[in-house]
Amino acid sequence: MTISSARRTTTKNDRFARLALGADGAATGLTGVLLLPLAGILDLLLGLPAGLLIGFAVFFVVYGASLLLLSRRPVVRRGAVWGVVTVNLLFAVDTAITLAAGWFDLTLLGTVACTTLGVIVAGFGAVQARAARGL
């Protein structure tokens, strides 16, 4: 029996997927790190409960770290990238539903912040979908 270990070469598509995951991970993690200590101040400025902001901050830190780790794996798997795309697009849709339903008494700044976050997350999802198609 012969064991063959073919070494996978890094392609342009792999680099694009790694860049898309890494940029998302860095931005998401940094957002969580900044949001965590500011949640008590931002609740009044945005119109979102501090507890919800703290929950999002913790999620952002963990999710961001996961994306950074995923971007550093020896092989970037297409299914994993599609999983990230799904999470990002669900978050963007949930943000839009939350805004449309008026579940929170958001300030103008809160509405702008939530809208901007939803658009950015959807953008990351779109870029990652493009990267996943090339894997």
Side-chain angles (χ1 to χ4, degrees), residues 36-62:
L36 196 54
L38 297 175
I41 296 168
L42 291 176
D43 66 340
L44 296 174
L45 293 173
L46 302 177
L48 289 167
L52 180 68
L53 293 172
I54 290 169
F56 275 120
V58 171
F59 172 76
F60 289 164
V61 169
V62 172

Side-chain angles (χ1 to χ4, degrees), residues 1 29-31 41 43 47 116 131:
M1 173 162 74
L30 181 60
T31 300
I41 296 168
D43 66 340
T116 302

Side-chain angles (χ1 to χ4, degrees), residues 5-18:
S5 64
R7 187 160 215 209
R8 183 167 184 225
T9 59
T10 301
T11 67
K12 188 165 92 170
N13 293 333
D14 287 335
R15 287 189 298 273
F16 181 51
R18 289 176 196 287

Side-chain angles (χ1 to χ4, degrees), residues 89-112:
L89 294 181
L90 285 173
F91 184 90
V93 168
D94 184 52
T95 301
I97 290 170
T98 299
L99 288 167
W103 289 333
F104 298 99
D105 188 22
L106 296 175
T107 63
L108 177 61
L109 181 60
T111 301
V112 169

Side-chain angles (χ1 to χ4, degrees), residues 57-128:
V58 171
F59 172 76
F60 289 164
V61 169
V62 172
Y63 186 61
S66 299
L67 294 179
L68 288 172
L69 289 172
L70 184 59
S71 75
R72 306 295 295 164
R73 302 256 323 162
V75 175
V76 179
R77 304 239 184 250
R78 176 185 284 192
V81 178
W82 280 116
V84 172
V85 170
T86 302
V87 170
N88 282 343
L89 294 181
L90 285 173
F91 184 90
V93 168
D94 184 52
T95 301
I97 290 170
T98 299
L99 288 167
W103 289 333
F104 298 99
D105 188 22
L106 296 175
T107 63
L108 177 61
L109 181 60
T111 301
V112 169
C114 287
T115 302
T116 302
L117 181 63
V119 168
I120 290 169
V121 171
F124 273 122
V127 170
Q128 291 156 346

Side-chain angles (χ1 to χ4, degrees), residues 18-31:
R18 289 176 196 287
L19 177 63
L21 293 168
D24 188 1
T28 302
L30 181 60
T31 300

